[in-house]
Amino acid sequence: KNQVEQSPQSLIILEGKNCTLQCNYTVSPFSNLRWYKQDTGRGPVSLTIMTFSENTKSNGRYTATLDADTKQSSLHITASQLSDSASYICVVSYSGGGADGLTFGKGTHLIIQP
Amino acid sequence: SQTIHQWPATLVQPVGSPLSLECTVEGTSNPNLYWYRQAAGRGLQLLFYSVGIGQISSEVPQNLSASRPQDRQFILSSKKLLLSDSGFYLCAWSPGLAGGNEQFFGPGTRLTVL
């Protein structure tokens, strides 16, 4: 069964600090992995999308890594800002999957404190 | 550029009442359209998707239905709401099937059934 597990479930850090969010998946065959940021009460917004051959991808202060061998991904946030407070969702798609070919994690709820 | 709209933003309805949520996309043609529900503490659940006018695929048996009367319009409906229908409803679009293409989410509708 295709699954995406995210950890931690929630995280509180001080403004300016770095943090790393984890995503483990069992989706097979793998197509791509995406990280979304979802502000409270809003729709998710894409941060990165990574295919099998990509190990690292950055988007400003956000850096995603992918290890397709161990089926793990991480999202590293550098120099956190108050606006980074949100839920971060890992989404994995499987090769050959159509409209229903996505498996969503439950997200990590990140709170940045001043 | 493409934009996706949802309305209403919030809705409070009594049990047994009908429901109609609307989603429209601008700036693109022939999009694939999706309805998701996001319950508290759970990942996004795909409810329906559509690859064209009048074409609806349902992912889970439920009290809801969807329709696509126009190319860029997607409607989520119910004849009689249940308490369990409460949640955050997200509409999304993608240029191709979601497995291999990025999805873009709308702002969401918060539905509370009392």
Side-chain angles (χ1 to χ4, degrees):
Chain A
K1 179 181 179 182
N2 291 332
Q3 287 186 317
V4 175
E5 300 288 340
Q6 291 188 244
S7 62
Q9 190 172 26
S10 61
L11 181 63
I12 302 173
I13 65 172
L14 294 175
E15 184 180 11
K17 297 297 184 181
N18 304 334
C19 67
T20 300
L21 313 180
Q22 299 291 342
C23 173
N24 297 338
Y25 62 91
T26 59
V27 177
S28 181
F30 174 85
S31 176
N32 61 64
L33 184 146
R34 315 165 191 191
W35 283 95
Y36 283 88
K37 178 187 179 187
Q38 184 177 21
D39 293 321
T40 300
R42 307 289 296 274
V45 175
S46 178
L47 293 175
T48 64
I49 179 169
M50 303 176 71
T51 59
F52 184 88
S53 60
E54 296 175 297
N55 300 119
T56 303
K57 183 168 280 190
S58 293
N59 178 358
R61 294 180 297 102
Y62 300 100
T63 300
T65 65
L66 174 65
D67 186 333
D69 292 331
T70 61
K71 298 186 177 180
Q72 296 179 327
S73 176
S74 65
L75 181 68
H76 186 74
I77 304 175
T78 304
S80 61
Q81 300 176 0
L82 296 178
S83 59
D84 293 330
S85 295
S87 288
Y88 292 84
I89 302 171
C90 177
V91 185
V92 182
S93 70
Y94 62 85
S95 180
D100 58 346
L102 301 179
T103 303
F104 290 82
K106 295 181 180 180
T108 291
H109 187 208
L110 176 63
I111 298 173
I112 310 298
Q113 289 187 335
Chain B
S1 62
Q2 302 86 8
T3 55
I4 178 168
H5 305 278
Q6 286 186 246
W7 63 89
T10 60
L11 189 61
V12 180
Q13 292 284 93
V15 170
S17 64
L19 173 74
S20 181
L21 303 182
E22 191 165 343
C23 171
T24 58
V25 181
E26 297 177 355
T28 186
S29 298
N30 303 314
N32 291 303
L33 298 172
Y34 313 83
W35 277 113
Y36 289 89
R37 176 167 56 205
Q38 187 176 36
R42 304 183 65 179
L44 274 72
Q45 179 187 34
L46 179 63
L47 301 175
F48 301 94
Y49 68 90
S50 171
V51 299
I53 296 175
Q55 301 180 61
I56 307 295
S57 296
S58 175
E59 287 300 299
V60 293
Q62 58 199 306
N63 183 44
L64 303 169
S65 62
S67 62
R68 185 170 177 174
Q70 301 180 44
D71 181 47
R72 290 169 289 179
Q73 184 184 30
F74 205 22
I75 297 173
L76 184 67
S77 304
S78 174
K79 293 182 178 179
K80 290 185 178 182
L81 283 169
L82 306 172
L83 286 174
S84 57
D85 291 324
S86 292
F88 192 52
Y89 288 83
L90 288 160
C91 180
W93 76 273
S94 66
L97 289 178
N101 292 273
E102 184 172 358
Q103 281 189 315
F104 301 91
F105 289 86
T109 294
R110 173 73 61 190
L111 172 65
T112 303
V113 182
L114 302 175

